[in-house]
Amino acid sequence: MAAEPGIHQDRTPDPDRTPDPAEAGTAEEGGGRHPVDEILSPWKMLTSGLQHVAAMYAGVVAVPLVIGAAAGLDTGDTTLLMAASLFTAGIATLLQTLGVWKIGARLPFVNGVSFCGVAAMTAIIAAEGGAAGLPVIFGAVIVAGLLGFLISPFFCRLVRFFPPVVTGSVIALIGLSLLPVALGWVTDDGAEGEGASGKGVALAAITLAVTIGLNRFGRGFVKSVSILLGLVVGTLVAIPMGMTEFTGLGDADLIGFPTPFHFGAPQFSLPAIVSMCIVMLVIMTESTADVIALGRIVGRPADEKTIAAGLRADTLGSAIAPFFNGFAASAFAQNIGLVAMTKVRSRFVVAVAGAFMVVLGLCPLAAALISAVPLPVLGGVGIVLFSTIAVSGVQTLAQADLGKTSNSLIAAVTLGVGLVPEMSHGFYSQFPDELTIILDSGISTGCVLAVLLNLLFHHVGRRTPQEEEAPEPAVTH
């Protein structure tokens, strides 16, 4: 499957075209190096790696900003949480891309702070009374991460329950669920009111237009870094519009190592541990779907071994993060979209991105510089990235026989229920907190539902004669 949906189509051969998995396998068997394992030129490695950092930066710092506000932290401590999140995200990304022992999927896989735990962590902060809840959160994340690490070899065996109808539905759901994030970036431009201002929309549109134009008319290197160039041009345009903020540069230190347990030694509270263990299962469910999606996009389908290794990196990164005041780590779907769009599949490019994030975590001044990129600019490229993921899901669904009522129903219900939190905010607000942790993550809810429906229709009980044909193959093996 050509997972890269493409912004344009032409008839000329494209040496960077994403091959079918079968094509990739043939190349490896013929002795060639798979694009995932290629080491590109230093300049392309640096610029493409920086592009990954730019695409995920806002997502990484969003969680510490929310948690810092909930805990009543001052600007200095909130900045420390942001730096810690970048530092630990870099470590987790290096684990994923380079791999150590059986840890790391060894795919162009970016890790960052998971949004899944925000509801649980804010609830813990409220129960503990502000900043006193941070050591409780860190203790719970450590336990949840270690538990996830131990069960990873067993959790990965669920892969056989992820045929194309399941993975396609979930991948499409990932992209559609992330689109409101991009639109939120467009509206968060300093304007009053809930709607987007004209300047914010204009800036996002300019960024989007530049990105599309470079992808359509650019060639080679310029085309591969169209997202990064779009961000640069958008930021430059924002300066005369008065939509950039550089005042934070003067207050940022050049070097600042995250102080271990800055907020106190971790505390281990059973209710908090249970909540974060549920969050960790949700993260592992999402990461399983993301590994499968990325494997298809880069032409190296993920088997159980790869998924288990990826989950180990996620969970180990999560267990390590609290030592440096960080939070639970998970895959960043927007970077999967970036891989699909740019067709730069080298895992070493993403390893460079991981190294960048470590440096940003150690250099608050550099982090402050990247944070100067206006959110509407990020929103402009986010629309492309997240929509690319959705289209990749549609391409995967094309491999399933949607003429079968069972498959079309699985896809329809997965998308319908999975999009509930995005279509109706607060829909589950009257449910117990333990349930909203899961239900408010439409991606996780949809993923679990797709697997259960696939079991119901294709693995459980008697089937009708029309259903007696051979079951769909799993996405791996």
Side-chain angles (χ1 to χ4, degrees):
M1 178 192 73
E4 211 291 311
I7 293 180
H8 73 284
Q9 293 183 354
D10 55 38
R11 302 293 183 183
T12 58
D14 187 349
D16 291 327
R17 181 180 64 84
T18 303
D20 289 339
E23 294 174 355
T26 302
E28 289 186 297
E29 290 168 6
R33 175 176 290 182
H34 193 285
V36 168
D37 299 317
E38 285 183 341
I39 298 178
L40 309 179
S41 66
W43 176 247
K44 191 168 186 178
M45 294 272 282
L46 289 172
T47 53
S48 298
L50 183 58
Q51 188 168 233
H52 273 285
V53 175
M56 54 85 72
Y57 179 86
V60 171
V61 301
V63 173
L65 282 172
V66 172
I67 299 302
L73 301 182
D74 59 24
T75 303
D77 281 341
T78 300
T79 301
L80 186 148
L81 280 183
M82 293 168 57
S85 295
L86 288 164
F87 179 74
T88 54
I91 293 175
T93 299
L94 290 171
L95 280 175
Q96 283 285 15
T97 53
L98 302 180
V100 177
W101 182 59
K102 296 181 180 181
I103 302 170
R106 292 171 173 83
L107 290 171
F109 206 63
V110 174
N111 275 60
V113 182
S114 174
F115 284 88
C116 294
V118 170
M121 291 189 290
T122 52
I124 292 171
I125 288 173
E128 297 293 331
L134 291 174
V136 178
I137 291 174
F138 295 144
V141 172
I142 290 173
V143 174
L146 293 176
L147 176 63
F149 185 86
L150 293 176
I151 68 173
S152 292
F154 309 100
F155 195 91
C156 73
R157 294 175 186 173
L158 294 174
V159 66
R160 63 182 180 274
F161 300 120
F162 286 79
V165 66
V166 173
T167 56
S169 300
V170 174
I171 294 167
L173 179 60
I174 290 172
L176 294 174
S177 296
L178 286 172
L179 272 175
V181 176
L183 298 179
W185 289 341
V186 175
T187 60
D188 193 1
D189 57 5
E192 295 183 0
E194 296 182 358
S197 70
K199 291 199 300 183
V201 172
L203 188 55
I206 291 171
T207 304
L208 178 61
V210 171
T211 302
I212 294 174
L214 291 173
N215 196 279
R216 172 61 181 88
F217 300 107
R219 290 292 181 267
F221 172 76
V222 171
K223 181 177 179 179
S224 69
V225 295
S226 59
I227 293 289
L228 179 60
L229 294 177
L231 290 170
V232 171
V233 172
T235 303
L236 292 176
V237 172
I239 293 176
M241 297 173 67
M243 298 180 65
T244 51
E245 181 60 63
F246 296 103
T247 56
L249 295 177
D251 300 327
D253 296 328
L254 180 60
I255 298 175
F257 187 83
T259 305
F261 300 129
H262 174 80
F263 298 96
Q267 300 176 20
F268 302 96
S269 166
L270 183 58
I273 289 172
V274 171
S275 295
M276 292 310 301
C277 283
I278 294 173
V279 169
M280 187 56 61
L281 292 176
V282 172
I283 289 173
M284 294 174 73
T285 301
E286 289 190 9
S287 290
T288 297
D290 286 336
V291 171
I292 293 171
L294 183 59
R296 284 182 170 274
I297 287 171
V298 301
R300 178 180 280 178
D303 55 16
E304 291 184 9
K305 181 179 177 181
T306 302
I307 293 172
L311 292 177
R312 287 192 187 98
D314 267 6
T315 53
L316 181 59
S318 296
I320 293 174
F323 288 84
F324 301 100
N325 313 292
F327 305 107
S330 69
F332 261 44
Q334 55 261 54
N335 293 86
I336 297 176
L338 183 59
V339 172
M341 180 181 172
T342 64
K343 294 176 283 190
V344 177
R345 291 169 277 160
S346 171
R347 62 189 173 100
F348 298 105
V349 164
V350 178
V352 170
F356 269 129
M357 284 187 281
V358 171
V359 171
L360 288 173
L362 297 175
C363 179
L365 181 62
L369 180 61
I370 290 186
S371 67
V373 177
L375 285 177
V377 172
L378 291 174
V381 299
I383 291 172
V384 177
L385 297 179
F386 303 154
S387 298
T388 299
I389 298 173
V391 173
S392 295
V394 173
Q395 290 179 322
T396 303
L397 276 173
Q399 300 181 22
D401 183 4
L402 294 182
K404 293 169 59 175
T405 302
S406 58
N407 284 345
S408 62
L409 191 59
I410 290 171
V413 175
T414 297
L415 293 173
V417 176
L419 288 173
V420 165
E422 303 301 332
M423 298 295 185
S424 178
H425 296 292
F427 186 87
Y428 299 113
S429 60
Q430 300 302 314
F431 283 60
D433 292 340
E434 294 78 7
L435 289 177
T436 57
I437 292 173
I438 298 175
L439 296 175
D440 275 340
S441 173
I443 296 172
S444 299
T445 305
C447 184
V448 172
L449 187 58
V451 172
L452 293 177
L453 289 174
N454 179 62
L455 286 172
L456 175 64
F457 282 107
H458 299 147
H459 296 273
V460 177
R462 297 177 59 185
R463 290 179 287 176
T464 64
Q466 290 79 10
E467 298 283 341
E468 289 296 334
E469 53 195 86
E472 291 184 78
V475 294
T476 57
H477 303 305

